[in-house]
Structures are given as structure tokens and as C-alpha cells.
Amino acid sequence: MAKSSADDEELRRACEAAIEGTKQKIVLSIRVAKSRGIWGKSGKLGRQMAKPRVLALSTKSKGQRIKAFLRVLKYSTGGVLEPAKLYKLKHLSKVEVISNDPSGCTFTLGFDNLRSQSVTPPQWTMRNIDDRNRLLLCILNICKDVLGRLPKVVGIDVVEMALWAKENTPSVSTQRNLKDGPAASTVTESDLKVTVEKELVSQAEEEDMEALLGTYVMGIGEAEAFSERLKRELLALEAANVHAILESEPLIDEVLYGLEAATNCVDDMDEWLGIFNVKLRHMREDIESIETRNNNLEMQSVNNKALIEELDKLLERLRVPSEYAKCLTGGSFDEARMLQNIEACEWLTGALRGLEVPNLDPSYANIRAVKEKRAELEKLKSTFVRRASEFLSNYFASLVDFMISDKSYFSQRGQLKRPDHADLRYKCRTYARLLQHLKSLDKNCLGSLRKAYCGSLNLLLRREAREFANELRACTKASRNPTVWLEASTGSGQNVNAADTSTVSEAYAKMLTIFIPLLVDESSFFAHFMCFEVPALVPPGGLVNGNKTGYNDDDANDDDLGIMDIDDNDSKTGKNSAELAALNESLQDLLDGIQDDFYAVVDWAYKIDPLRCISMHGITERYLSGQKADAAGFVRLLLGDLESRISVQFSRFVDEACHQIERNERNVRQMGVLSYIPRFATLATRMEQYIQGQSRDLVDQAYTKF
């Protein structure tokens, strides 16, 4: 026979480890199978599979009292025992062996303190009868010693139990403390090896048994014969009972009739259950269908919510704020309203860019609402660009007309007036950012604006140059030098010392000093103001003619509009040839005609003293070498034309002198030193005095002709 699990020391230690910390001592531990099934005729357990468990009897000392417990332990996932249930043996009221189990190894334990007595108590199945008897005997001994009472025992032959105890527990070893109560000692399994007479049978029961044995003329030692005789009598009684049952046929018929009626009810119930099962199956299918539809509806709801959020975002992008729409279609362009106009332009630019594919999901690009909104924004853009262009064209013309009508802006008799465009640029600078946005919205609109600005400002510049040149000639006092230097008719003794004509060169230099920086600044301001993408111009305070010009001191930052390039054009370092061509064309319109006044000053200076062409040529060359910026292209052309005109005038003077020499050689008799020789020396001296900068080449060419 295999060793009982009650003798497994390793199992005992595992149980002690599981209840460590409870101060309880394991009396007995044994493996069982737990089930809640019903034993049928086949003897097989149904409805629920048995689960392995360990029942452990434990005691705990509390002063002079001892408490007894029945613990149920189960195996965890790792195979480690852990507490599952705890029962107090003082509540044990019934021990019943299941009669339907042929092996007799299954029993139940009834406790009177369970919350629900209607729940079937668990059934415990042992490996064999010995394990069952050992566990139940230990439980009964603890109840009697510790609690002083025995639970109700059902389905167990007490005599058989006593015989088993006698065979398996030859010695009795219990300890009692009679002073402190009925049972105050710590009980272990080895202490509970008792005899039947003292443990399972009370004194009264023992006396009754002795009387019964005496009736059968048997001694106490003939228990086996007594048991056999009792079994025979029991069989006889059962046979008599069966005979009595057979005689009660009417009762049996009634019972059979009741069983048949019950069978019919069961059949009806089975049919009803079949119908209910079909209905339940259909209901389950309906529920599944409803759940599927609910899932679809839930998914559709989530999708609709996400779609609404996306549409709300799109509608927010498509919405045109009323204040911006009003500003773009009919707002004022007064200086006080420019901030609102700029904000409206920025919004319009951002809205148009936001409807482009890189910034808009491609799936939205072909939506009709997006197309309609894009068309609406394009209409707003064209309306605003047209209104702004008309306003700026009229505004430029009105500014120039106001300045032209005020004579205090120009030179007057006895007073040279330096042109001052600070106020004009300040007023234009107010609309510089608007021009930036107009360029961003529609580059084509700048052509008409540039022409309007150039046309208006050209009138002002020509008027200023004409008035300044006229007054400059009027206020410059200089006597004329003879244009005939080498004429023989003048006589060899004629005084050829010329008057001082330096004021003529100074007047010409003053004309250039005043207007060349002005024209360069106007070109620079125009290039920035009208949003040309060209490299930087002459920096404020930079060199224009080799020296710092006094003109820039008062308005050094006129070409700095104080705005940001909204198209990031500042990052471009290469030249844009198309932009340069457009800029030069616009500068031609801006400054065309002003050269006539410079030509008039050159012609006037030539008439006073032709030799002053030498100094004027040097002055012009110096200014010409200082103009390097792309926006000063027309100024370079103007200076080049002036230089050419001065060279032509001086060549004209040299040609006339050569003609004089030729006539003198033909008409005058060649005797002694020719008359024009000493005069040529005087002329050469004067020419050398007037040489400035690069005019040496001009003088050397004259010497060559002479």
C-alpha cells in the first residue's frame, strides 16, 4: 500500500509555511479531492470536476484555551500551497459519509455558521478508507478533547470505526489538564491514538453495549462475532421490509402513477425547454445582429465626429471675417486705417496660401466649397488691388501737385533752395508695407503704380532742377574770358590775362553736389519703395563721390523703409537681371528730362570760360567713379552724358584754337616769333591749373591737336 499523505513531512512543512505568522500548529495534513457533484448510479462524479486540495487540522493556544481550525489549502500556479478557506471546528455540527459513493471515501462536513445553508457543502474524497478514517478520527478526537462535544455522525458504522481505530492505534497517549477545563492541552496526531472505549463510546453507551452483548451471551472480546450476528439480523429485517413493501401493491401503484405523471411533466418540461432553447438561440442571433449594428453605428458616430471636426477646421479656414471683408472691399486708405488694411492683407495672403495644395490636404483641393471660396478670395484680392492701386496713384499725384503749387519748396530770386523730400518720403513710407502686400498679392499691379510714381516725381524733380539751375546761374557773378586765344589780330602786346572764373566751376560743382546725391537717394528709395529685387544700394552715410556728402547727413536713412520683406527677398544675393532691367526702365521715366538743366549749366559755364571745361570734366569724373550701385544706373548715364558734353564743348574750343593758328599761318607774314606762341604758353599754364583728377587725358588730347 502506498504511503498515506498524512505521513508526508514535506506536505506538513509546506502547510506550516503557508500559515506562517498565524501562530497555529499543524496537527494533521492530508491530500483530498474537492467536488460539489452528485454521485449517481454509475458511481461517477458529475457536473464538476474534482479539484486537488489539502485539508489541515491546526490548533492555536490562547492562554489556557485552545482553538481548533480546519484549513483548506489549494495549489497556486507555481505549485505552492496557499490558504483558501478557514473553518472553526467549534461550528462543526455534522459529519456525513456520502452513501452513493460505493467506495465510502467521500464525505461532507456541515458547519452551522455558514451564511447560505441552501448551498450544497463541498464533498471531500479521500484516496482510501484508511485516509478517511484517519482524518475523521482525528477530527472527532479534537472535538471531544478541545471542544468537549462530538458532532453528529451520519453514514459511518461506529463499530467499524472502533475496530479500525483499535487495529491502527495500539496505544493511547492523551494529556489532560483537569484543573483548567475539559481540554487545555496541545493536541497532535500522535497524541490522538485512542481506544474505542474512551474516545468513541461514552460510559452509558458502553454499559448498553455490555447489556446487549449479555443478551446475546457474548463477551466484550467477541466483537467480531457480535458484528456478524448483527449483520445477519439486519439482512433479515431488510428482507421483512421488502416483503412488507411487496404486500403494499396499491401504494406501489399509486407511486408508479405519480412517477408516470412526473415523467410526463418532465417530458413536457423538456419540450418547453427545447422551445425556449430555440427562442433563446434566435434571441442570441438577434442580439448578435443588434450588437453588430450597434458597433457599426458606434464606428459611424466616431467617424462622423471626426468628420465634423475636420469640416469645422476647414470651415474656419474658409470663413472670411466680416471686418476683413469690409476693409478689403470698401475700407478707407487713410493713414489711421492703415493698420487694419495691413492686417486684412496679411489675412488675405495667408488665406490664399492656405488654400494651395502644399498647405491644404490634396483631398480637399477639388471640393466645390474650396473652389468657390478660392474664387471669392481671388475676387476680394482683385478688388482690393484695384482700389489700392487707384488710391496710391492719386495719392502720389496729389502729393507732388501740392509741393509744386507751393513755391517755398523751390529756389527763388536771391535764394538757392536745397530740395527737401523728407516729408514726401515720410508720407510715402506710410504705404510701404501696403506695397509689399500688393506685390505679394499681384505683382502685375506694381507696373502701373511705378509709372504713376515716376511720372509724378519726375515733374517735381525737373521743376526743382530748373529753378535751382536758373537761380544758380543768376547768382553767380563772373566775367567772360575771351574765347579767341591765338588770334593774330589781337596783337602781340595784348594782355591775355583772364579774369577769375572759379565761381563757374564752383557753381557746377554745387549743382552736382546738391542733385547727384538727391537723384541717387531718390533712385534708392524708389527701388526699395516699389519692391524691386535688387542688391543693396549705397549704405547710409556711404561714399557717393569719394567724400561723405552733406546731403545724406540730414536724411541718412531715407532709403531704409523700416519694413520687412514679406517675400524673403533679403536672402537673395544674386542679381535679378529682369528686375534690374525693369528698374532701369523705371528710373529712365523717373529722371528723364532733368539732364537738360545740367546741360544748360555746362553750356553756360562754357560760354563764360571754355577752359573751365577741364575742371568740370574732373569734377564729373569724380562723381561718376563713385556711382557703383545698380539703382544708380541712370545717374551714371547722366554723368557720362555730362562728361561727354563737356568733352565735346572743350573739343570745340580746341578746334577753334587750331583754326585760329591755321588762319594765322596763312594770312600773317612769318617774321620773328609768331604771335600765338607766347599766348599758347599762357593758355597751357591756365589749362594746367584747371586739371583735376582724370582731366589730364583731356588736356593731353588738346596738346596733341595743337
Side-chain angles (χ1 to χ4, degrees), residues 426-480:
Y426 175 78
K427 292 180 179 179
C428 289
R429 195 178 291 116
T430 303
Y431 298 95
R433 186 127 183 105
L434 178 61
L435 282 171
Q436 290 276 341
H437 285 286
L438 288 178
K439 177 186 177 183
S440 176
L441 292 173
D442 185 7
K443 289 185 178 181
N444 297 326
C445 73
L446 291 181
S448 59
L449 287 176
R450 291 167 179 172
K451 288 185 177 296
Y453 181 85
C454 291
S456 300
L457 195 62
N458 180 262
L459 294 176
L460 178 63
L461 290 174
R462 292 179 61 183
R463 173 72 179 276
E464 290 174 339
R466 184 171 64 253
E467 296 292 342
F468 189 88
N470 292 339
E471 183 58 29
L472 183 64
R473 294 195 299 269
C475 67
T476 301
K477 305 299 181 182
S479 59
R480 290 192 176 187

Side-chain angles (χ1 to χ4, degrees), residues 71-90:
R71 283 187 171 273
V72 181
L73 296 96
K74 66 179 181 178
Y75 290 95
S76 64
T77 306
V80 180
L81 284 176
E82 59 182 18
K85 291 289 184 70
L86 175 66
Y87 301 98
K88 293 182 179 180
L89 285 183
K90 68 179 181 179

Side-chain angles (χ1 to χ4, degrees), residues 188-250:
T188 64
E189 186 190 6
S190 59
D191 297 331
L192 292 176
K193 296 177 181 179
V194 296
T195 60
V196 179
E197 291 83 2
K198 291 189 176 182
E199 300 301 329
L200 296 180
V201 184
S202 63
Q203 183 66 30
E205 292 173 345
E206 184 178 354
E207 293 177 356
D208 292 339
M209 288 181 65
E210 289 180 353
L212 184 60
L213 289 174
T215 303
Y216 286 95
V217 194
M218 291 184 180
I220 194 66
E222 301 179 71
E224 294 181 1
F226 178 65
S227 176
E228 289 295 332
R229 185 171 180 177
L230 288 178
K231 287 180 180 180
R232 288 194 299 272
E233 292 184 359
L234 177 60
L235 290 175
L237 289 175
E238 289 178 352
N241 289 336
V242 170
H243 180 72
I245 291 173
L246 292 176
E247 289 181 348
S248 57
E249 184 178 356

Side-chain angles (χ1 to χ4, degrees), residues 137-386:
L137 182 63
C138 186
I139 292 174
L140 295 175
N141 286 334
I142 290 177
C143 290
K144 188 170 184 179
D145 284 345
V146 177
L147 305 177
R149 65 176 181 81
L150 287 174
K152 182 179 179 181
V153 179
V154 179
I156 302 176
D157 190 346
V158 177
V159 177
E160 183 181 350
M161 179 69 74
L163 293 175
W164 182 90
K166 184 176 180 181
E167 293 176 358
N168 292 276
T169 56
S171 62
V172 178
S173 176
T174 58
Q175 298 178 0
R176 295 176 181 272
N177 192 338
L178 300 178
K179 297 180 180 180
D180 298 329
S185 63
T186 301
V187 183
T188 64
E189 186 190 6
S190 59
D191 297 331
L192 292 176
K193 296 177 181 179
V194 296
T195 60
V196 179
E197 291 83 2
K198 291 189 176 182
E199 300 301 329
L200 296 180
V201 184
S202 63
Q203 183 66 30
E205 292 173 345
E206 184 178 354
E207 293 177 356
D208 292 339
M209 288 181 65
E210 289 180 353
L212 184 60
L213 289 174
T215 303
Y216 286 95
V217 194
M218 291 184 180
I220 194 66
E222 301 179 71
E224 294 181 1
F226 178 65
S227 176
E228 289 295 332
R229 185 171 180 177
L230 288 178
K231 287 180 180 180
R232 288 194 299 272
E233 292 184 359
L234 177 60
L235 290 175
L237 289 175
E238 289 178 352
N241 289 336
V242 170
H243 180 72
I245 291 173
L246 292 176
E247 289 181 348
S248 57
E249 184 178 356
L251 296 176
I252 294 175
D253 292 339
E254 186 177 353
V255 170
L256 291 176
Y257 176 78
L259 290 175
E260 186 177 359
T263 302
N264 293 333
C265 291
V266 169
D267 292 339
D268 293 341
M269 187 175 295
D270 182 65
E271 185 178 355
W272 294 342
L273 289 176
I275 296 173
F276 291 154
N277 188 27
V278 173
K279 291 184 177 180
L280 287 175
R281 186 173 65 253
H282 293 166
M283 188 178 296
R284 281 195 298 270
E285 293 175 355
D286 294 340
I287 291 174
E288 290 177 358
S289 176
I290 293 172
E291 287 180 350
T292 302
R293 289 198 298 269
N294 286 341
N295 293 336
N296 293 334
L297 289 175
E298 184 177 358
M299 183 178 295
Q300 185 178 359
S301 175
V302 172
N303 293 337
N304 289 339
K305 184 178 180 181
L307 177 61
I308 290 174
E309 292 178 355
E310 288 296 325
L311 291 178
D312 288 341
K313 293 178 182 177
L314 183 60
L315 288 176
E316 183 64 24
R317 298 175 69 174
L318 299 180
R319 187 179 69 87
V320 179
S322 58
E323 62 273 14
Y324 292 154
K326 182 179 179 181
C327 184
L328 292 171
T329 55
S332 171
F333 289 99
D334 294 339
E335 183 176 351
R337 296 279 302 171
M338 282 311 299
L339 181 60
Q340 290 83 346
N341 288 325
I342 294 301
E343 290 179 354
C345 284
E346 291 176 348
W347 174 85
L348 180 58
T349 303
L352 286 171
R353 289 178 179 175
L355 294 182
E356 298 298 329
V357 171
N359 301 318
L360 182 68
D361 194 312
S363 58
Y364 296 155
N366 296 324
I367 296 179
R368 187 177 67 180
V370 175
K371 293 181 179 179
E372 293 177 354
K373 187 57 63 175
R374 189 183 295 115
E376 180 182 351
L377 293 179
E378 290 291 341
K379 185 177 180 181
L380 279 177
K381 181 187 75 173
S382 60
T383 302
F384 178 77
V385 169
R386 176 181 53 78

Side-chain angles (χ1 to χ4, degrees), residues 1 214 216 236 244 423 455 461 522 600 602 689:
M1 182 180 296
Y216 286 95
D423 186 59
L461 290 174
E522 285 299 333
V602 171
Q689 292 176 353

Side-chain angles (χ1 to χ4, degrees), residues 634-684:
F634 185 80
V635 177
R636 288 198 304 272
L637 293 177
L638 173 61
L639 292 172
D641 291 343
L642 284 175
E643 188 178 35
S644 299
R645 193 175 187 88
I646 292 171
S647 298
V648 170
Q649 293 285 25
F650 187 70
S651 297
R652 176 183 169 190
F653 166 74
V654 173
D655 291 341
E656 290 178 356
C658 291
H659 288 312
Q660 292 172 10
I661 294 174
E662 292 173 356
R663 287 196 301 270
N664 183 65
E665 290 178 348
R666 287 196 302 268
N667 300 329
V668 179
R669 186 177 178 180
Q670 304 273 338
M671 293 180 63
V673 178
L674 297 178
S675 60
Y676 61 82
I677 297 300
R679 292 175 185 172
F680 177 76
T682 304
L683 175 62

Side-chain angles (χ1 to χ4, degrees), residues 444-614:
N444 297 326
C445 73
L446 291 181
S448 59
L449 287 176
R450 291 167 179 172
K451 288 185 177 296
Y453 181 85
C454 291
S456 300
L457 195 62
N458 180 262
L459 294 176
L460 178 63
L461 290 174
R462 292 179 61 183
R463 173 72 179 276
E464 290 174 339
R466 184 171 64 253
E467 296 292 342
F468 189 88
N470 292 339
E471 183 58 29
L472 183 64
R473 294 195 299 269
C475 67
T476 301
K477 305 299 181 182
S479 59
R480 290 192 176 187
N481 277 333
T483 58
V484 180
W485 280 82
L486 305 178
E487 182 67 46
S489 61
T490 59
S492 60
Q494 185 178 358
N495 185 12
V496 293
N497 292 329
D500 183 15
T501 58
S502 61
T503 54
V504 175
S505 299
E506 293 175 357
Y508 177 76
K510 190 171 186 178
M511 183 76 176
L512 294 184
T513 302
I514 295 299
F515 276 91
I516 293 302
L518 173 65
L519 298 181
V520 172
D521 288 345
E522 285 299 333
S523 301
S524 173
F525 179 81
F526 173 75
H528 283 78
F529 182 58
M530 286 298 172
C531 308
F532 284 96
E533 300 175 11
V534 294
L537 305 179
V538 177
L543 299 179
V544 176
N545 57 354
N547 298 310
K548 290 186 178 180
T549 62
Y551 187 84
N552 284 340
D553 293 341
D554 296 334
D555 194 10
N557 294 320
D558 278 344
D559 60 341
D560 182 8
L561 303 182
I563 59 176
M564 294 172 57
D565 192 344
I566 60 178
D567 291 328
D568 294 331
N569 291 328
D570 290 340
S571 62
K572 297 181 180 179
T573 57
K575 292 183 179 180
N576 190 323
S577 58
E579 284 291 300
L580 281 177
L583 175 60
N584 289 329
E585 183 180 353
S586 297
L587 291 178
Q588 180 73 26
D589 297 336
L590 178 67
L591 305 177
D592 189 30
I594 197 172
Q595 68 271 18
D596 295 338
D597 298 298
F598 285 89
Y599 294 162
V601 173
V602 171
D603 295 342
W604 165 75
Y606 173 77
K607 291 178 181 178
I608 294 178
D609 186 359
L611 295 180
R612 284 296 168 182
C613 289
I614 299 173

